[in-house]
Amino acid sequence: MKRTMSVAAVAACLSLAACGGSSSASEEKTQSGPSTFVAKGTVTVVGSGVTGDNIKCHGYRGYDDMQEGAQVKVAVDGKTVGIGSLKSGTSSDGGYSCKFGFEVRDVPSGNKFYSVTVTHRGSIDYKEDELKSGVSLQLGS
């Protein structure tokens, strides 16, 4: 009977240690991991590069890449640190302009500048506080 009790006691201790170790390990990872933020903004296509109705729209005539699901990339010193996509385009001015929102989650904090690229178009640099509050990009005339 003594042996059964000691085996049960050892098993209970090991079980508690495994649970405790697992919990504190994940807490440590969370506490010591880098802080992140959500980069957000809008891309507006204006003029003859827009097609759609008063509600839903997308790019057109040279702006065909401006559509829901198009890639938005955030990079630091040429290294990609986050990828998101354009949300559905909306128009509130009869189809003259088309506005797409985007969010890129889990972008690491603490860098001086972040480059934002939408599809294959050039990059524009922003500071962290600008990306947190939301940037506005525009294409067309």
Side-chain angles (χ1 to χ4, degrees), residues 25-36:
S26 67
E27 286 173 20
E28 285 175 23
K29 185 177 180 184
T30 302
Q31 292 172 353
S32 66
S35 63
T36 62

Side-chain angles (χ1 to χ4, degrees), residues 74-138:
V74 177
V76 174
D77 296 326
K79 181 182 174 197
T80 301
V81 295
I83 294 178
S85 60
L86 294 180
K87 297 178 182 175
S88 179
T90 58
S91 180
S92 59
D93 59 7
Y96 176 74
S97 68
C98 187
K99 188 176 198 174
F100 303 88
F102 68 84
E103 289 186 346
V104 179
R105 299 186 174 283
D106 300 322
V107 176
S109 296
N111 294 286
K112 189 170 183 172
F113 293 104
Y114 298 83
S115 297
V116 176
T117 306
V118 180
T119 70
H120 66 278
R121 302 186 183 268
S123 299
I124 300 177
D125 292 342
Y126 294 99
K127 293 180 180 178
E128 183 174 330
D129 61 333
E130 294 173 310
L131 288 173
K132 285 180 177 178
S133 61
V135 297
S136 292
L137 305 163
Q138 183 174 315

